Coordinates of all heavy atoms in Angstrom, one line a residue:
R760 N -7.1 -6.8 -0.1 CA -7.5 -5.4 -0.5 C -6.9 -5.1 -1.9 O -6.0 -5.7 -2.3 CB -6.9 -4.5 0.6 CG -7.5 -4.7 2.0 CD -7.0 -3.7 2.9 NE -7.4 -2.3 2.6 CZ -8.6 -1.7 3.0 NH1 -9.4 -2.4 3.5 NH2 -8.8 -0.3 2.6
H761 N -7.5 -4.2 -2.5 CA -7.1 -3.7 -3.9 C -6.1 -2.6 -3.7 O -6.3 -1.5 -3.0 CB -8.4 -3.2 -4.7 CG -9.3 -4.2 -4.9 ND1 -9.1 -5.4 -5.7 CD2 -10.7 -4.2 -4.5 CE1 -10.2 -6.1 -5.6 NE2 -11.2 -5.3 -5.1
I762 N -5.0 -2.8 -4.6 CA -4.0 -1.8 -4.5 C -4.4 -0.5 -5.2 O -5.0 -0.6 -6.4 CB -2.6 -2.3 -5.2 CG1 -1.9 -3.5 -4.3 CG2 -1.5 -1.2 -5.6 CD1 -1.3 -2.9 -3.1
D763 N -4.1 0.7 -4.6 CA -4.4 1.9 -5.3 C -2.9 2.2 -5.9 O -2.1 2.8 -5.2 CB -4.7 3.0 -4.2 CG -5.1 4.3 -4.9 OD1 -4.4 4.7 -6.0 OD2 -5.9 5.0 -4.5
R764 N -2.8 2.0 -7.2 CA -1.5 2.0 -7.8 C -0.9 3.5 -7.7 O 0.2 3.8 -7.5 CB -1.5 1.5 -9.2 CG -0.1 1.5 -9.9 CD 0.8 0.6 -9.0 NE 2.2 0.6 -9.6 CZ 2.7 -0.3 -10.4 NH1 2.0 -1.3 -10.8 NH2 3.8 -0.2 -10.8
A765 N -1.8 4.5 -7.9 CA -1.3 5.9 -8.0 C -0.9 6.3 -6.6 O 0.1 6.9 -6.4 CB -2.5 6.9 -8.3
A766 N -1.6 5.9 -5.5 CA -1.2 6.3 -4.2 C 0.2 5.5 -3.9 O 1.1 6.2 -3.2 CB -2.3 5.8 -3.1
C767 N 0.4 4.3 -4.3 CA 1.6 3.6 -4.0 C 2.7 4.3 -4.8 O 3.9 4.3 -4.1 CB 1.5 2.0 -4.4 SG 0.4 1.2 -3.3
D768 N 2.5 4.6 -6.0 CA 3.6 5.3 -6.7 C 3.9 6.7 -6.1 O 5.2 7.0 -6.1 CB 3.2 5.5 -8.2 CG 3.1 4.2 -9.0 OD1 3.7 3.3 -8.5 OD2 2.5 4.2 -10.1
F769 N 3.0 7.4 -5.5 CA 3.2 8.6 -5.0 C 4.2 8.5 -3.6 O 5.0 9.2 -3.3 CB 1.9 9.2 -4.6 CG 2.0 10.5 -3.8 CD1 2.4 11.7 -4.4 CD2 1.9 10.4 -2.4 CE1 2.5 12.8 -3.7 CE2 2.1 11.8 -1.7 CZ 2.4 12.9 -2.3
H770 N 3.9 7.4 -2.9 CA 4.7 7.1 -1.6 C 5.8 6.3 -1.9 O 6.5 5.9 -1.0 CB 3.7 6.6 -0.7 CG 2.7 7.5 -0.1 ND1 3.0 8.4 0.8 CD2 1.4 7.6 -0.3 CE1 1.9 9.1 1.2 NE2 0.8 8.6 0.4
G771 N 6.1 6.0 -3.2 CA 7.4 5.1 -3.5 C 7.3 3.8 -2.9 O 8.4 3.2 -2.5
V772 N 6.2 3.1 -3.0 CA 6.1 1.6 -2.6 C 6.8 0.7 -3.6 O 6.2 0.8 -4.8 CB 4.6 1.3 -2.3 CG1 4.5 -0.2 -1.8 CG2 4.0 2.3 -1.1
P773 N 7.6 -0.1 -3.2 CA 8.2 -0.9 -4.3 C 7.2 -2.0 -4.6 O 6.4 -2.5 -3.8 CB 9.5 -1.4 -3.7 CG 9.2 -1.3 -2.2 CD 8.3 -0.1 -2.0
L774 N 7.5 -2.8 -5.7 CA 6.5 -3.9 -6.2 C 6.6 -5.0 -5.1 O 5.5 -5.7 -4.9 CB 6.9 -4.4 -7.6 CG 6.5 -3.4 -8.8 CD1 7.0 -4.0 -10.1 CD2 5.0 -3.2 -8.8
W775 N 7.8 -5.2 -4.6 CA 8.0 -6.4 -3.8 C 7.1 -6.3 -2.5 O 6.8 -7.2 -1.8 CB 9.4 -6.6 -3.3 CG 10.1 -5.5 -2.7 CD1 11.0 -4.5 -3.2 CD2 10.0 -5.1 -1.4 NE1 11.4 -3.6 -2.3 CE2 10.8 -4.0 -1.1 CE3 9.4 -5.6 -0.2 CZ2 11.1 -3.4 0.1 CZ3 9.6 -5.0 1.0 CH2 10.4 -4.0 1.2
A776 N 6.6 -5.0 -2.1 CA 5.8 -4.8 -0.9 C 4.4 -4.9 -1.2 O 3.6 -4.9 -0.1 CB 6.1 -3.4 -0.4
F777 N 3.9 -5.2 -2.5 CA 2.7 -5.1 -2.7 C 1.8 -6.2 -2.1 O 0.5 -6.0 -1.6 CB 2.2 -5.1 -4.3 CG 2.5 -3.8 -5.0 CD1 3.1 -2.8 -4.3 CD2 2.0 -3.6 -6.2 CE1 3.3 -1.4 -5.0 CE2 2.1 -2.4 -6.8 CZ 2.7 -1.3 -6.2
N778 N 2.3 -7.5 -2.0 CA 1.6 -8.5 -1.5 C 1.2 -8.3 0.1 O 0.1 -8.5 0.5 CB 2.3 -9.8 -1.6 CG 2.3 -10.4 -3.0 OD1 1.4 -10.0 -3.7 ND2 3.2 -11.2 -3.4
A779 N 2.2 -7.8 0.8 CA 2.0 -7.5 2.1 C 1.0 -6.4 2.4 O 0.2 -6.4 3.3 CB 3.3 -7.2 2.9
I780 N 1.0 -5.4 1.6 CA 0.1 -4.3 1.5 C -1.4 -4.7 1.3 O -2.3 -4.5 1.9 CB 0.5 -3.2 0.7 CG1 1.7 -2.5 1.3 CG2 -0.6 -2.0 0.5 CD1 2.5 -1.5 0.3
K781 N -1.6 -5.6 0.3 CA -2.8 -6.2 -0.1 C -3.4 -7.0 1.1 O -4.5 -7.0 1.3 CB -2.8 -7.1 -1.4 CG -2.6 -6.3 -2.6 CD -2.8 -7.1 -3.9 CE -1.7 -8.1 -4.1 NZ -1.9 -8.8 -5.5
A782 N -2.4 -7.5 1.9 CA -2.8 -8.4 3.0 C -3.2 -7.6 4.3 O -3.7 -8.1 5.2 CB -1.8 -9.4 3.4
G783 N -3.0 -6.2 4.1 CA -3.4 -5.3 5.2 C -2.2 -4.6 5.8 O -2.6 -3.7 6.8
E784 N -1.0 -4.8 5.4 CA 0.0 -4.2 6.3 C 0.1 -2.7 5.9 O 0.0 -2.4 4.7 CB 1.3 -4.9 6.1 CG 1.3 -6.2 6.7 CD 2.8 -7.0 6.6 OE1 3.7 -6.2 6.3 OE2 2.9 -8.1 6.7
D785 N 0.7 -1.8 6.8 CA 1.0 -0.5 6.5 C 2.4 -0.6 5.8 O 3.1 -1.6 5.7 CB 1.2 0.4 7.8 CG -0.1 0.5 8.5 OD1 -1.1 0.4 7.8 OD2 0.0 0.6 9.8
F786 N 2.8 0.5 5.1 CA 4.1 0.8 4.5 C 5.0 1.5 5.3 O 4.7 2.8 5.7 CB 3.9 1.2 3.0 CG 5.3 1.4 2.4 CD1 6.2 0.4 2.1 CD2 5.7 2.8 2.1 CE1 7.3 0.5 1.4 CE2 6.9 2.8 1.3 CZ 7.7 1.8 1.1
I787 N 6.3 1.1 5.7 CA 7.3 1.9 6.4 C 8.2 2.4 5.4 O 9.0 1.6 4.6 CB 7.9 1.1 7.4 CG1 6.8 0.6 8.4 CG2 8.9 2.0 8.2 CD1 7.4 -0.3 9.5
K788 N 8.4 3.7 5.2 CA 9.3 4.3 4.3 C 10.7 4.2 4.8 O 10.9 3.9 6.0 CB 8.9 5.7 4.1 CG 7.6 6.1 3.3 CD 7.5 7.5 3.0 CE 6.3 7.7 2.1 NZ 6.2 9.2 1.7
P789 N 11.8 4.4 3.9 CA 13.0 4.4 4.4 C 13.4 5.3 5.6 O 14.3 5.1 6.4 CB 13.9 4.7 3.2 CG 13.0 4.3 2.0 CD 11.6 4.5 2.6
D790 N 12.7 6.4 5.6 CA 13.0 7.5 6.8 C 12.2 7.1 8.0 O 12.2 7.7 9.1 CB 12.6 8.8 6.2 CG 11.1 8.9 6.0 OD1 10.4 8.0 6.2 OD2 10.7 10.1 5.6
G791 N 11.5 5.9 8.0 CA 10.8 5.4 9.3 C 9.4 5.9 9.4 O 8.7 5.4 10.2
S792 N 8.9 6.8 8.4 CA 7.6 7.2 8.5 C 6.6 6.2 7.9 O 7.0 5.5 7.1 CB 7.5 8.5 7.7 OG 7.8 8.2 6.3
V793 N 5.5 6.1 8.6 CA 4.5 5.0 8.3 C 3.3 5.6 7.4 O 2.8 6.6 7.7 CB 4.0 4.5 9.5 CG1 2.8 3.3 9.2 CG2 5.1 3.9 10.4
V794 N 3.0 4.9 6.3 CA 1.9 5.2 5.4 C 0.8 4.2 5.8 O 1.0 3.0 5.5 CB 2.3 5.2 3.9 CG1 1.0 5.5 3.1 CG2 3.4 6.1 3.6
A795 N -0.3 4.7 6.2 CA -1.4 3.7 6.5 C -1.9 3.0 5.4 O -1.9 3.5 4.4 CB -2.6 4.6 7.2
N796 N -2.2 1.8 5.7 CA -2.8 0.8 4.6 C -3.9 1.4 3.9 O -4.1 1.2 2.7 CB -3.0 -0.6 5.2 CG -3.4 -1.5 4.2 OD1 -4.7 -1.7 3.8 ND2 -2.5 -2.2 3.6
T797 N -4.8 2.1 4.7 CA -6.0 2.7 4.1 C -5.8 3.6 3.0 O -6.6 4.0 2.1 CB -7.0 3.2 5.1 OG1 -6.3 4.1 5.8 CG2 -7.5 2.0 5.9
L798 N -4.5 4.2 3.0 CA -4.1 5.3 2.0 C -3.6 4.6 0.7 O -3.5 5.4 -0.2 CB -3.1 6.2 2.7 CG -3.6 7.0 3.8 CD1 -2.3 7.9 4.3 CD2 -4.7 8.1 3.4
L799 N -3.2 3.4 0.9 CA -2.6 2.7 -0.3 C -3.5 1.7 -1.0 O -3.2 1.1 -2.0 CB -1.4 2.0 0.3 CG -0.3 2.8 0.9 CD1 0.7 2.0 1.5 CD2 0.3 3.9 0.0
T800 N -4.6 1.4 -0.3 CA -5.6 0.3 -0.9 C -7.0 0.8 -0.9 O -7.4 1.7 -0.2 CB -5.3 -1.1 0.0 OG1 -5.7 -0.7 1.2 CG2 -3.9 -1.5 -0.1
R801 N -7.8 0.0 -1.6 CA -9.2 0.1 -1.4 C -9.9 -1.2 -0.9 O -9.3 -2.2 -1.0 CB -9.8 0.4 -2.7 CG -9.2 1.6 -3.5 CD -10.0 1.9 -4.8 NE -10.0 0.8 -5.8 CZ -9.0 0.5 -6.5 NH1 -7.9 1.2 -6.6 NH2 -9.0 -0.5 -7.3
E802 N -11.0 -1.0 -0.4 CA -11.8 -2.3 0.2 C -12.0 -3.3 -0.9 O -12.4 -2.9 -2.0 CB -13.2 -1.8 0.8 CG -13.0 -1.0 2.1 CD -12.8 -1.9 3.3 OE1 -12.8 -3.1 3.1 OE2 -12.5 -1.3 4.2
P803 N -11.8 -4.5 -0.5 CA -12.0 -5.7 -1.5 C -13.6 -5.8 -1.6 O -14.5 -5.3 -0.7 CB -11.4 -6.8 -1.0 CG -11.5 -6.6 0.4 CD -11.3 -5.1 0.7
G804 N -14.1 -6.4 -2.7 CA -15.6 -6.7 -2.7 C -15.9 -7.7 -1.7 O -15.1 -8.4 -1.3
P805 N -17.1 -7.7 -1.3 CA -17.6 -8.7 -0.2 C -17.3 -10.1 -0.8 O -17.5 -10.5 -2.0 CB -19.0 -8.4 0.1 CG -19.4 -7.7 -1.1 CD -18.2 -6.9 -1.7
A806 N -17.1 -11.1 0.1 CA -16.9 -12.6 -0.3 C -18.4 -13.1 -0.6 O -19.4 -12.6 -0.1 CB -16.4 -13.3 0.9

């Protein structure tokens, strides 16, 4: 999936988490709240 950099910056996603997010994982903030992957990425082009 394609990283939405503006959304990741807004939610404070660190660079080290980008690979997992591109692979489809959600992001868990330090306070335990979950940011859905679909809010942080865009659909990749079809294979």
Side-chain angles (χ1 to χ4, degrees):
R760 295 182 66 83
H761 298 300
I762 289 289
D763 185 328
R764 188 56 187 265
C767 286
D768 288 347
F769 176 80
H770 289 285
V772 179
L774 289 176
W775 58 260
F777 278 17
N778 284 340
I780 290 170
K781 286 194 289 186
E784 292 187 15
D785 297 332
F786 176 62
I787 302 176
K788 290 186 174 184
D790 64 4
S792 59
V793 178
V794 182
N796 185 271
T797 52
L798 297 177
L799 303 172
T800 61
R801 301 187 305 277
E802 289 282 349

